[in-house]
Amino acid sequence: MDDVRATEQKKILNRLRRAQGQLTAVIAAVEGGGNCRDVVTQLAAVSSALDKAGFVIVSTAMRDCIANPDDENSLTVAELEKLFLTLA
């Protein structure tokens, strides 16, 4: 299970780093007076990358809760729903 968790964490970190790089590009474009269409397109990419990372985090928590329902860090169904809806 630790290998699965490490793989999921790596995926999440890769998505967050990608979003970080895209956000840096957005900031540079705004500071440099970049084309509005390009800035918005880059900003949409940042938003999408963050959303995907969030969904991977929630889905990983869901799997953990199903596999280990008695774990002290396990979330309730209501808590998982709230996290999921926060991303929607």
Side-chain angles (χ1 to χ4, degrees), residues 32-51:
N35 176 288
C36 179
R37 183 176 299 164
D38 294 341
V39 170
V40 171
T41 299
Q42 289 175 336
L43 195 55
V46 172
S47 180
S48 177
L50 291 174
D51 287 346

Side-chain angles (χ1 to χ4, degrees), residues 5-82:
R5 181 179 222 98
T7 300
E8 290 301 315
Q9 184 177 23
K10 187 175 181 178
K11 286 180 188 178
I12 292 165
L13 289 172
N14 285 340
R15 289 185 188 280
L16 292 173
R17 286 187 182 109
R18 188 176 313 126
Q20 183 179 33
Q22 291 167 330
L23 183 56
T24 299
V26 169
I27 292 168
V30 170
E31 289 175 340
N35 176 288
C36 179
R37 183 176 299 164
D38 294 341
V39 170
V40 171
T41 299
Q42 289 175 336
L43 195 55
V46 172
S47 180
S48 177
L50 291 174
D51 287 346
K52 288 177 184 175
F55 284 121
V56 172
I57 290 168
V58 172
S59 70
T60 300
M62 290 173 83
R63 267 198 309 277
D64 288 350
C65 289
I66 291 168
N68 304 305
D70 296 328
D71 186 328
E72 68 182 44
N73 294 321
S74 189
L75 300 170
T76 66
V77 172
E79 290 169 324
L80 286 169
E81 284 178 9
K82 186 175 180 179

